[in-house]
Amino acid sequence: MLLKAIISCSVLRQALANGLSDGLPDEAAMARQKAGAGKLEKDTIDAIFDEDGTLSAMWEQEAKRAQLETRRLFFSNHGSMPLVPTSSPVPAQTASPSIERTPAPSSGTFSPASGETLSPSSEGTPAPSSAGTLSPDSGGTLAPASEETLAPASEQTLAPNSGGSLAPVSGGTPAPSPSQTTGGDCLEGTTLDVYLTTLLSSITSEDIILDTATPQGRAFAAMISDPFVEQNACSETIDQRFGLMTFYYSTGGEEWSTQTSWLTDSDECTWFGVICDDADSRATNLTLGVNNLSGSIPEEISTLYKLTRLELFGNNLTSTIPAGIANLTELAVIDLEENSLTGTPLSDAVMQLTSLSQAFFSRNAFEGTIPTTISNLASLQDFWIAANSMSGSLPIDIGGLTMLRSLIMYENAFDGPLPETFSFLTNITNMQLYDNDFSGSIPSSMFGLTQLSVLLLDGNFLDGSISSEISFLTALTDLRLHDNNFDGVIPDDIAFLSSLKFLTLGDTMLNGAIPNVFTLMEGLETIDLGNNMHTGIIPDSLFFLPLVSRVYLQGNDLTGAIPVSWSDPPNLIDLFLNDNLLTGSIPTIDDGEFANLQELTLQYNSLTGAVPEPPVCLASGGRTRAVIHRLRWR
């Protein structure tokens, strides 16, 4: 007889309330909540069924939640994020191993795989940071100048181009500094406003400076009445004060959550979020994450050319990344995540920031492709560009980022094959490429990435079989390949992935028997093989795992009886066996077993008997309640 029953704490509570009615309640809601400083955290899963009775993709959601928590909390407590992330952007249970970082080749290039020729394109040649400049091309955009050289960072200035925007001064001519004025006193024979107009017009057009409706004009007007400026007009950092004040007005400083000391008559190095070098009072850090900034980053960011950290994450910034950012040649960390920035994050200007070790661009409205010049950024260790509208295929030049530890690119529209040159990313521990349009098979060259701890490729169009060579990735703790077009069988060698905590291979076309090899995977917590075409019996080794909490085997063609060991795992929360060809009696559940069970699905099989009583389930509020529920027959 066909068994139509489900044991579920949430279902049972509703069933009791409804007089044990035959209908299943609507348990489709999956919530996403904001936690910390703008981080999306995985909420408690209240139910597993959608409205039509199908399995929700709960494991497709988990990896999408915890990208920034540790970094955000660190910022909240310390005012700055550490140079090396304190944790990988993965669920808290998953720890990436520490590694010895191998320096990239001094040339910034990489060797092609055997039989592969890499021909650099004209725009793919790294521009030395000491010699790269920008000049307007015929279309008014910025392109590398063919012969011009850039003045040293301490002497770089920006002048207005014909369109009123900023471009590097031809030949790298520095802005006038107090030391260049005659008479020793920079104000001798002139007035403060005339002097500042002359000085700052080499950075911003005079018309813009004198227009009090612009952020630059407001900054200039504030400087004229600033006692600190009057006393320190001859300081070599007066351009920096103008740049910071322009930044304040351009990003709605009046509405910032914290604006301590900004625009007061104190040294700008005392302003909230600004850290300066003691030697020359040049700003090295601008850290204003989660501070209610709105508006655009001004071109005058170029005056902060000694910055090594620019952290503006979790705000409401709009518009594009300004071309003036090219002046920040010492920048090591740029964090613009969780804003509403547009355009491309990898412009010609950004490609000149060859000192970058961490680039965080996720969760904006960025578009465009990954350029071949990406290999210019050979010092990158962490590259996050997830949850944007990026597209196109990944260039083989991405293999030039040989120092990468994390590559986070999920939720975009990238397509094409995974590049073979991923094999050069030998330091990588965390690769998240899920929810894109990648196709083709997993390159065999990737199975040499022995440092890899997290590999998330779910939600793409990948096909082919799962190679037994995947067993070489012995550091894996999280392997998610579900919702692809894989076929063939699960290789027995998967047992060598003894560090795995999460294994999801469901919603593919995998077939054949499920290998009975799970006793070697003692740390496994979740296994999802649902909605495939597996045949044969349920491996009893699945229930010998001491930490397993979720087992999803629904929607296959599994036969035989349920293993008597099914209730042994002490932490089992979910067990989905519905929609198979299972037969025999439902095994006994002894007292104390299934103590943490929340969802058990058995419907659409050919099982006999009744559910033993009482199954003990986790009730709301963290209390336990014994619920007796007998099977209903039809």
Side-chain angles (χ1 to χ4, degrees):
M1 288 184 288
L2 178 66
L3 173 64
K4 284 203 48 117
I6 176 172
I7 303 176
S8 163
C9 290
S10 53
V11 173
L12 293 179
R13 288 194 296 272
Q14 184 69 33
L16 290 174
N18 296 339
L20 294 178
S21 62
D22 290 335
L24 292 177
D26 177 9
E27 301 182 28
M30 298 285 289
R32 301 177 70 177
Q33 68 180 25
K34 286 280 184 180
K39 166 189 164 291
L40 288 175
E41 178 75 6
K42 178 181 181 297
D43 201 354
T44 303
I45 298 175
D46 295 324
I48 301 300
F49 285 96
D50 293 323
E51 292 181 358
D52 60 356
T54 60
L55 179 69
S56 295
M58 62 173 292
W59 287 108
E60 293 181 9
Q61 300 297 326
E62 179 193 340
K64 305 176 185 179
R65 306 300 191 227
Q67 295 302 314
L68 301 171
E69 180 174 12
T70 302
R71 189 152 53 85
R72 301 296 187 251
L73 291 176
F74 191 96
F75 178 87
S76 300
N77 294 328
H78 302 280
S80 179
M81 134 186 186
L83 182 61
V84 178
T86 55
S87 68
S88 298
V90 294
Q93 309 97 304
T94 304
S96 299
S98 60
I99 60 174
E100 291 293 329
R101 295 192 294 277
T102 303
S106 57
S107 64
T109 61
F110 60 100
S111 302
S114 177
E116 185 174 8
T117 302
L118 299 180
S119 300
S121 61
S122 58
E123 71 273 21
T125 304
S129 59
S130 62
T133 65
L134 295 177
S135 62
D137 63 34
S138 59
T141 59
L142 294 179
S146 59
E147 296 180 0
E148 294 178 357
T149 58
L150 194 64
S154 61
E155 298 178 354
Q156 294 173 10
T157 62
L158 295 176
N161 61 21
S162 59
S165 59
L166 297 181
V169 177
S170 176
T173 305
S177 66
S179 62
Q180 295 171 317
T181 61
T182 60
D185 184 351
C186 61
L187 297 182
E188 184 177 346
T190 187
T191 60
L192 179 62
D193 59 339
V194 171
Y195 169 73
L196 288 178
T197 301
T198 302
L199 176 69
L200 300 178
S201 62
S202 63
I203 301 172
T204 304
S205 167
E206 183 175 335
D207 291 342
I208 296 176
I209 291 175
L210 299 180
D211 183 355
T212 56
T214 66
Q216 295 85 352
R218 296 180 69 188
F220 177 76
M223 291 182 73
I224 297 300
S225 59
D226 185 348
F228 181 89
V229 173
E230 185 175 358
Q231 296 173 16
N232 298 274
C234 299
S235 167
E236 293 186 359
T237 60
I238 203 69
D239 60 329
Q240 170 177 278
R241 193 173 183 89
F242 172 67
L244 286 170
M245 294 175 78
T246 299
F247 180 88
Y248 177 89
Y249 286 117
S250 185
T251 59
E254 299 93 335
E255 302 299 325
W256 289 0
S257 301
T258 303
Q259 48 187 265
T260 306
S261 298
W262 277 77
L263 301 195
T264 65
D265 58 2
S266 63
D267 190 310
E268 67 267 13
C269 294
T270 66
W271 296 354
F272 173 77
V274 179
I275 298 176
C276 294
D277 188 325
D278 292 337
D280 60 7
S281 296
R282 280 286 171 185
T284 59
N285 290 27
L286 183 59
T287 55
L288 293 170
V290 197
N291 201 42
N292 199 37
L293 277 64
S294 60
S296 61
I297 304 170
E299 293 284 356
E300 287 73 15
I301 195 77
S302 62
T303 62
L304 310 181
Y305 53 77
K306 283 293 188 73
L307 279 187
T308 60
R309 309 181 70 89
L310 179 61
E311 299 176 359
L312 306 177
F313 59 85
N315 287 295
N316 302 303
L317 296 173
T318 56
S319 192
T320 61
I321 299 175
I325 205 168
N327 226 31
L328 279 54
T329 56
E330 299 182 25
L331 198 64
V333 176
I334 182 171
D335 189 348
L336 303 178
E337 288 199 316
E338 298 196 50
N339 282 286
S340 298
L341 295 166
T342 58
T344 175
L346 301 173
S347 62
D348 291 337
V350 173
M351 288 299 100
Q352 294 196 52
L353 304 180
T354 55
S355 296
L356 278 179
S357 63
Q358 295 178 307
F360 302 116
F361 299 121
S362 296
R363 300 193 181 280
N364 279 281
F366 286 130
E367 299 176 327
T369 61
I370 304 296
T372 57
T373 50
I374 188 67
S375 58
N376 288 7
L377 307 182
S379 297
L380 271 182
Q381 298 177 15
D382 300 288
F383 182 37
W384 299 5
I385 199 168
N388 282 292
S389 297
M390 303 292 291
S391 60
S393 59
L394 300 184
I396 59 175
D397 308 77
I398 202 168
L401 306 182
T402 56
M403 296 183 70
L404 269 188
R405 300 170 305 186
S406 62
L407 180 61
I408 313 298
M409 307 179 77
Y410 63 80
E411 291 181 12
N412 280 287
F414 292 120
D415 56 22
L418 301 177
E420 291 280 353
T421 52
F422 270 168
S423 61
F424 299 115
L425 309 183
T426 54
N427 290 314
I428 199 163
T429 65
N430 191 336
M431 183 180 289
Q432 299 189 29
L433 308 181
Y434 62 86
D435 287 353
N436 279 286
D437 297 322
F438 291 116
S439 58
S441 59
I442 300 176
S444 59
S445 58
M446 287 183 62
F447 299 134
L449 303 179
T450 55
Q451 303 274 17
L452 200 57
S453 175
V454 176
L455 179 59
L456 309 185
L457 301 177
D458 45 296
N460 283 288
F461 296 95
L462 298 173
D463 55 27
S465 60
I466 298 177
S467 171
S468 61
E469 292 180 347
I470 202 169
S471 62
F472 297 151
L473 303 179
T474 54
L476 277 180
T477 61
D478 196 347
L479 175 62
R480 308 194 189 197
L481 304 178
H482 60 273
D483 195 14
N484 276 289
N485 297 325
F486 296 118
D487 57 14
V489 300
I490 299 174
D492 291 347
D493 289 345
I494 204 167
F496 292 105
L497 302 181
S498 56
S499 298
L500 272 186
K501 293 183 178 181
F502 306 100
L503 174 63
T504 66
L505 304 175
D507 291 280
T508 66
M509 292 183 285
L510 290 171
N511 52 68
I514 300 172
N516 196 12
V517 295
F518 296 101
T519 51
L520 300 177
M521 307 166 76
E522 293 185 351
L524 197 62
E525 298 176 14
T526 294
I527 179 167
D528 179 3
L529 305 178
N531 300 318
N532 288 324
M533 295 184 287
H534 293 301
T535 57
I537 63 174
I538 299 174
D540 59 359
S541 60
L542 279 174
F543 304 108
F544 297 154
L545 300 172
L547 301 179
V548 69
S549 59
R550 292 178 171 88
V551 177
Y552 304 113
L553 301 177
Q554 79 288 342
N556 283 287
D557 293 318
L558 298 174
T559 57
I562 298 173
V564 295
S565 57
W566 73 324
S567 59
D568 288 351
N571 301 313
L572 198 61
I573 295 174
D574 296 338
L575 176 57
F576 284 20
L577 302 177
N578 58 284
D579 293 271
N580 278 288
L581 304 174
L582 300 175
T583 57
S585 299
I586 299 173
T588 302
I589 302 174
D590 296 330
D591 291 344
E593 294 181 327
F594 281 162
N596 294 304
L597 190 69
Q598 294 182 9
E599 305 287 344
L600 170 62
T601 64
L602 299 174
Q603 72 270 25
Y604 296 108
N605 281 290
S606 297
L607 298 167
T608 59
V611 176
E613 51 187 67
V616 179
C617 297
L618 186 64
S620 60
R623 299 185 301 273
T624 58
R625 177 188 306 167
V627 181
I628 301 176
H629 182 61
R630 291 192 175 277
L631 298 180
R632 293 177 173 271
W633 297 94
R634 290 186 178 179

